[in-house]
Amino acid sequence: MSFTIKNMTIRKRIMFIFLISSMFLILILMAAFSYIEVKNSQERFEQLSRQTANGLSFMPALTKAIKSNDYSEIQGIIDRVRLHAENPIVTVVDRDGIFIIHPDETKIGTSGEKCHFTQSLLFGSYITKEAEGAGGPSVMTTAPIYEKIYGGEQVVGAITVEYLNEDINATIIKKIFRLILVAIIGIIVCIGSALFLARSIQSDTLGFEPATIAGLFREREAMLDAVKEGIVVIDKSQNISMINPSAKKLVQTKDEQRELVKALGLLETFRKGESSYDKEQLYDGSVLITNRRPLYHGQEIVGAICSFRDKTDIKQLQETILQIQGYSDGLRAQAHEYKNKLYVLMGLLQIEHYDEALQFIEEETLEEKQAIPMLQMIEDPGVHAILLGKMAKAAEKKVTLVVGEGSRLGRTSITVSDMAIMLGNLLDNAIDAVLHAKQKKIEVMITDIGSEIVIDVQDTGMGLNPETVKEIFQTGFSSKGEQRGYGLSHVYETAKKYDGMVEVSMLKVGGTVFSLYLPKTKGET
Amino acid sequence: MRRLFLIAIGISLLVGCASQKGAVGETFPNKTIEIIAPASPGGGWDMAARSSQRALKADGTAGEDITVINKPGGGGEVGWQYLNQQDGHFAALNSSLLITGQLLGQSELTYEQFTPLAMLSTEWLAVATKADAGFENATELMDQLREDPKSLTIGVSPSLGSGNHLAFVQAAIESGIDPTELQFLVYSSGGDIMNALLGGHIDLTSNSMSDLSEQYEAGEVEILAITSPERLDSFPDIPTWQEQGVSVEFPHWRGIMGPPDMSETEIAQWDDMLSEMVETEEWKTDLDNNDLDAFYMNSNETVDFLKEQHEFFKDIVSESGLAP
């Protein structure tokens, strides 16, 4: 049953259920009505026969007719009464039980079945019962007919008024047929309203079957869950009607949701009804690249949808790649330079300028000595590599990058990529800062004494504009032009991730010191 | 916990009800007792009701006031229907009509619907002719009726199917006469019948001794047979049907009954009151004055007696050709 119902279209299903329930209801009502009607009819006809019989039995004309043997007048009276009382069969017997009135004229003058009348004739009883009457099985009342005589009363005959069962049944059946007619109209109305309901449901569901809609809904949910892009939809009242998991990651509370809607520019899209693509919007320190469209129902705007992705994510990735590319470039450059030096050394040796060769080697090793021994104290391979790479880059640009005396760093649990973002950016900035300075020197001090790793990057550049110092850690700030300026904000964000902080201070002698503080404990857990 | 609480309430209610019921039982009757005479004042039922009232008051067992209310109509039915809706302080007079009414299709009420309390009195029914009618005895009368059932007109009151009527129908059946052939005339009272009999409109009557005794003692009417099993002390000259070879014994009894569903205590109380009442001088004098015989039965005996009477009347009705 349920299987077949499931397979039906929604219209058929509604029709089916309506039809079944209305038929069931109507059948029950019909049965109840028929039962009551049969009972009532029985009672009604019993009562009618009793009233008619009693009424007729008290008519003086009837007594007179019996006594005078003139029945034409009484027959007329009886016929008139019958017309008003649903045409019963009326029979009258005299004192001896001889029929004097009978619908079958041949019976008149013959003796009726006595026991019908005996009780009335002998005991004057008024009896209503169901029995075999003059015309067949019927509901009948027999009443005595009295004559007043010498101050007393004598029974002179009896009258029977009977309603044939078949006539009673016919009236019941007639009523039930009328009822069936009404029932059919009822069912037609039911089918009509079922059709109307089905149509209105189908118009709400754009003509899809509920199962199809459920399928589409599931697919859409899965799709929304699967995409990495955030998707937010607002409805007419500008509340979020749909938000996918990616977008939800950004917001927890209702207030935040409202904030997000505003930040995404959905309200504007809703108001203006204009689509916009690849627009950047700022939300909570991140740049989101948004695509927005209003939702129309006919001509009316009923909401707006926005899909977005975090530009920071992309940028971060790009930067990490750039850093790593930088190391490899640096290493290649170093290798190249080293090769050159070897050529020089080979040339000097070939022309047997041994003193100069020795001096050259001494010079070279002296330079290395300055940095390398300090570099040895940096045990963390990531930091080591970054410093090495940046040194190479600095050397290419004729910038001296040295690791300060007393620097030391054990292994840390900060990932290389995060360290590259923090240290790498600071060093890059420092290199950029000293490019055009007279003295091109950068000193990095790294210590991990105590509970913190402290990294100072000191340059000899021009320093910062005091007015912009406060903004340098904000997204989008850059002294290097548009579409830049994520560097320091990344340093800031990443340091925050490790519960650390970054400070900037300017030296009186010129130049800037960036200090990075990273708690050890956070990394260890 | 809550259930326990409910049970406790239930028990306390039950106990409360039980004690209340007991209290009512102990003090029954606790208000005026009303005796319903299902007829207008002056008839046999009214007389019986007022005799009971007098005798109960004289006896004093009831300890409450006693009144009589008349509810005439429908051959007793109106009064009995009224009783149907009352409590144990009400009682109504009854007679064989309670049984025959239903048997003859004239009433829906049955004797089983009520609580029988007692049989009170009976009178015996006699067949009388005018003194100069010329019948020596009942045998002669029945012989003529057997010969020609329509030759004589019989007066009965107050209706066909009454005790008077049925007593003669029984006698006719026992004598081998088809009762449906008989010419009955119905009068509304015994007085009318006496007038019709003396005026020559009817040839004989089946009536109660109380209605006949006066004219009998005056010598105006002759009484041919009486339905008592033995000759009456007060009328030793009147022969019974039985001694004339017709097996008829027909008490025209009057009893008293209460509404349906009376309690045991109420019935016992009524038994006490009524058994004391029938012993009073007032009651006995009233019986004598009205030519009635004592016919007291207590509530238990009355239950059996009514069953017996029901069978008896059923037989008469069926033998008269209604259900061959």
Side-chain angles (χ1 to χ4, degrees):
Chain A
M1 193 75 165
S2 64
F3 181 72
T4 50
I5 280 182
K6 283 246 158 155
N7 283 347
M8 290 177 171
T9 64
I10 182 74
R11 180 185 300 207
K12 277 185 189 159
R13 230 187 291 179
I14 290 173
M15 296 274 284
F16 181 73
I17 290 165
F18 256 67
L19 212 60
I20 291 287
S21 51
S22 62
M23 292 265 264
F24 182 67
L25 217 77
I26 283 167
L27 271 179
I28 284 184
L29 285 178
M30 292 257 289
F33 174 81
S34 303
Y35 177 77
I36 293 167
E37 184 58 30
V38 167
K39 282 263 159 208
N40 277 354
S41 295
Q42 206 77 23
E43 262 170 46
R44 200 164 59 82
F45 279 102
E46 276 178 13
Q47 208 177 347
L48 197 56
S49 78
R50 194 154 44 225
Q51 284 168 354
T52 313
N54 291 6
L56 284 170
S57 75
F58 284 124
M59 275 186 178
L62 188 59
T63 316
K64 217 169 81 191
I66 292 168
K67 294 311 276 184
S68 63
N69 292 327
D70 177 12
Y71 308 125
S72 51
E73 191 195 346
I74 190 65
Q75 184 70 58
I77 293 174
I78 287 174
D79 285 345
R80 223 168 30 247
V81 171
R82 286 178 57 216
L83 264 181
H84 292 291
E86 312 227 354
N87 275 314
I89 295 172
V90 176
T91 52
V92 178
V93 292
D94 66 8
R95 180 69 189 79
D96 299 316
I98 308 291
F99 281 119
I100 54 176
I101 302 276
H102 197 288
D104 182 357
E105 286 196 11
T106 58
K107 287 265 177 78
I108 291 176
T110 64
S111 173
E113 265 195 68
K114 218 173 172 188
C115 69
H116 260 158
F117 301 100
T118 314
Q119 215 168 335
S120 296
L121 290 174
L122 177 56
F123 296 113
S125 301
Y126 294 83
I127 294 165
T128 303
K129 61 181 176 186
E130 266 188 84
E132 186 80 17
S138 50
V139 170
M140 60 203 281
T141 295
T142 309
I145 302 165
Y146 284 99
E147 182 199 12
K148 285 217 187 301
I149 184 170
Y150 307 128
E153 284 184 319
Q154 189 174 16
V155 175
V156 292
I159 183 166
T160 292
V161 174
E162 59 183 74
Y163 291 94
L164 289 178
N165 280 347
E166 53 184 280
D167 288 347
I168 297 175
N169 291 344
T171 64
I172 294 171
I173 287 167
K174 213 164 90 189
K175 277 191 184 171
I176 290 174
F177 264 113
R178 225 175 302 157
L179 191 70
I180 288 173
L181 211 74
V182 175
I184 289 170
I185 292 171
I187 289 175
I188 289 170
V189 170
C190 263
I191 293 173
S193 46
L195 269 174
F196 178 76
L197 178 65
R199 202 161 290 164
S200 92
I201 288 176
Q202 274 189 327
S203 88
D204 277 354
T205 60
L206 309 171
F208 288 118
E209 289 300 314
T212 320
I213 293 168
L216 288 173
F217 182 75
R218 269 197 300 275
E219 281 165 23
R220 198 187 71 146
E221 281 291 287
M223 197 166 75
L224 289 174
D225 283 358
V227 293
K228 270 193 113 174
E229 295 217 324
I231 298 174
V232 175
V233 181
I234 58 168
D235 59 17
K236 233 188 211 170
S237 46
Q238 310 191 341
N239 292 321
I240 291 182
S241 61
M242 206 282 302
I243 179 164
N244 78 338
S246 303
K248 240 184 212 161
K249 272 186 211 155
L250 285 179
V251 289
Q252 267 81 38
T253 63
K254 287 266 167 206
D255 285 342
E256 285 180 346
Q257 289 192 351
R258 222 162 296 135
E259 205 56 41
L260 178 67
V261 168
K262 216 182 282 169
L264 289 172
L266 266 175
L267 299 182
E268 203 186 311
T269 310
F270 180 76
R271 222 165 26 242
K272 290 186 182 159
E274 284 170 3
S275 307
S276 57
Y277 300 101
D278 291 330
K279 284 271 149 49
E280 291 187 10
Q281 303 281 344
L282 253 144
Y283 172 73
D284 195 23
S286 326
V287 174
L288 307 174
I289 299 171
T290 65
N291 294 314
R292 284 166 294 169
R293 283 188 65 161
L295 297 177
Y296 281 98
H297 182 81
Q299 290 296 311
E300 192 194 359
I301 300 175
V302 293
I305 182 167
C306 171
S307 73
F308 60 89
R309 55 191 191 277
D310 193 344
K311 193 177 175 185
T312 320
D313 284 346
I314 303 165
K315 200 71 192 174
Q316 230 164 20
L317 201 68
Q318 278 176 347
E319 246 170 67
T320 312
I321 293 167
L322 272 174
Q323 294 284 354
I324 290 165
Q325 232 166 17
Y327 310 147
S328 70
D329 282 351
L331 288 171
R332 198 173 56 243
Q334 215 173 19
H336 184 74
E337 205 179 341
Y338 188 67
K339 225 181 190 173
N340 282 344
K341 283 174 183 167
L342 282 181
Y343 280 129
V344 172
L345 204 57
M346 188 180 77
L348 286 173
L349 289 174
Q350 270 177 349
I351 54 172
E352 296 176 3
H353 285 202
Y354 299 120
D355 292 341
E356 275 133 334
L358 202 66
Q359 197 186 346
F360 181 76
I361 292 166
E362 267 173 9
E363 274 171 23
E364 285 299 311
T365 43
L366 197 73
E367 194 182 322
E368 289 295 302
K369 257 186 208 156
Q370 285 176 337
I372 300 299
M374 292 306 130
L375 212 49
Q376 297 305 330
M377 299 304 290
I378 308 299
E379 287 170 27
D380 188 82
V383 176
H384 197 113
I386 292 163
L387 286 173
L388 211 57
K390 292 301 174 190
M391 277 175 179
K393 183 181 172 186
E396 257 182 36
K397 298 186 173 174
K398 304 294 175 207
V399 174
T400 321
L401 196 164
V402 294
V403 175
E405 214 155 324
S407 290
R408 54 171 297 125
L409 178 67
R411 279 180 172 271
T412 70
S413 52
I414 297 168
T415 59
V416 180
S417 61
D418 282 340
M419 192 55 95
I421 288 170
M422 291 186 285
L423 186 55
N425 265 309
L426 287 179
L427 292 174
D428 281 351
N429 285 347
I431 292 167
D432 286 344
V434 298
L435 265 184
H436 305 291
K438 265 185 214 160
Q439 199 188 0
K440 301 177 181 181
K441 193 180 171 195
I442 296 164
E443 193 176 339
V444 182
M445 275 296 296
I446 301 176
T447 54
D448 62 349
I449 303 160
S451 59
E452 274 182 332
I453 301 165
V454 182
I455 301 174
D456 287 339
V457 178
Q458 186 184 342
D459 64 53
T460 55
M462 299 172 293
L464 293 159
N465 184 346
E467 283 165 23
T468 55
V469 164
K470 283 178 188 164
E471 294 166 20
I472 55 170
F473 294 119
Q474 282 179 12
T475 312
F477 174 85
S478 177
S479 55
K480 299 175 222 166
E482 277 295 309
Q483 297 295 316
R484 301 283 306 261
Y486 298 106
L488 277 175
S489 78
H490 283 178
V491 175
Y492 178 75
E493 292 291 329
T494 315
K496 246 169 77 177
K497 200 167 100 183
Y498 289 93
D499 278 356
M501 53 182 288
V502 57
E503 274 179 5
V504 62
S505 53
M506 270 166 290
L507 300 175
K508 282 189 183 139
V509 293
T512 319
V513 181
F514 282 91
S515 305
L516 191 60
Y517 304 95
L518 297 168
K520 284 181 187 170
T521 42
K522 174 76 181 180
E524 279 159 13
T525 51
Chain B
M1 196 57 211
R2 194 168 156 180
R3 187 172 296 177
L4 259 172
F5 180 64
L6 283 176
I7 290 171
I9 285 183
I11 288 172
S12 63
L13 277 176
L14 272 176
V15 169
C17 284
S19 62
Q20 215 172 7
K21 196 156 190 174
V24 166
E26 279 159 31
T27 61
F28 180 86
N30 54 14
K31 60 177 189 186
T32 307
I33 285 175
E34 309 213 27
I35 298 173
I36 300 162
S40 44
W45 273 328
D46 179 58
M47 213 172 58
R50 294 192 189 276
S51 299
S52 308
Q53 179 192 24
R54 263 197 301 281
L56 281 170
K57 272 184 175 173
D59 174 52
T61 310
E64 290 284 341
D65 195 21
I66 291 144
T67 60
V68 169
I69 31 178
N70 291 91
K71 293 274 171 190
E77 192 159 348
V78 174
W80 296 331
Q81 289 285 18
Y82 174 75
L83 174 69
N84 226 343
Q85 291 136 31
Q86 309 300 326
D87 66 9
H89 289 86
F90 286 76
L93 274 295
N94 60 24
S95 77
S96 58
L97 274 183
L98 179 64
I99 292 168
T100 55
Q102 189 247 332
L103 282 175
L104 298 174
Q106 289 158 343
S107 167
E108 301 276 301
L109 286 172
T110 71
Y111 73 98
E112 287 156 319
Q113 278 172 264
F114 298 94
T115 310
L117 295 175
M119 279 292 124
L120 294 177
S121 65
T122 185
E123 56 186 336
W124 303 99
L125 307 175
V127 172
T129 60
K130 232 173 135 180
D132 56 0
F135 291 106
E136 282 295 313
N137 50 39
T139 318
E140 255 180 55
L141 179 77
M142 296 321 261
D143 284 345
Q144 187 186 328
L145 283 175
R146 201 178 299 114
E147 201 75 18
D148 181 1
K150 292 187 174 164
S151 59
L152 296 171
T153 313
I154 308 142
V156 291
S157 75
S159 64
L160 294 176
S162 64
N164 293 334
H165 179 229
L166 286 172
F168 197 80
V169 167
Q170 197 201 0
I173 292 167
E174 293 296 331
S175 308
I177 299 161
D178 182 356
T180 62
E181 300 276 307
L182 295 171
Q183 301 286 307
F184 286 104
L185 259 184
V186 186
Y187 290 86
S188 51
S189 72
D192 291 347
I193 286 193
M194 193 49 74
N195 288 339
L197 185 68
L198 296 178
H201 299 308
I202 54 175
D203 298 304
L204 62 133
T205 180
S206 169
N207 214 334
S208 61
M209 272 311 294
S210 55
D211 281 335
L212 294 170
S213 57
E214 198 184 325
Q215 296 300 327
Y216 171 70
E217 277 159 359
E220 293 287 328
V221 297
E222 184 66 35
I223 294 181
L224 300 178
I226 189 159
T227 59
S228 57
E230 282 160 21
R231 289 194 184 207
L232 300 180
D233 295 340
S234 43
F235 302 101
D237 294 336
I238 300 175
T240 66
W241 279 108
Q242 288 184 352
E243 67 186 74
Q244 298 177 74
V246 181
S247 166
V248 168
E249 183 190 330
F250 199 112
H252 187 52
W253 45 263
R254 291 206 175 85
I256 190 164
M257 64 186 178
D261 303 322
M262 280 172 72
S263 73
E264 297 271 328
T265 22
E266 285 171 343
I267 294 172
Q269 203 63 31
W270 272 102
D271 264 337
D272 279 357
M273 292 193 298
L274 293 170
S275 60
E276 295 288 331
M277 179 199 84
V278 294
E279 297 301 325
T280 58
E281 282 307 313
E282 284 79 1
W283 178 253
K284 286 175 178 165
T285 317
D286 270 357
L287 287 186
D288 276 352
N289 289 347
N290 293 303
D291 296 312
L292 296 169
D293 279 4
F295 202 59
Y296 177 74
M297 295 180 197
N298 70 19
S299 56
N300 278 335
E301 293 163 339
T302 306
V303 172
D304 293 338
F305 178 74
L306 286 178
K307 263 183 209 154
E308 199 183 290
Q309 284 285 300
H310 184 249
E311 288 305 308
F312 172 71
F313 285 116
K314 221 164 95 179
D315 286 348
I316 296 179
V317 171
S318 65
E319 277 170 36
S320 58
L322 293 176

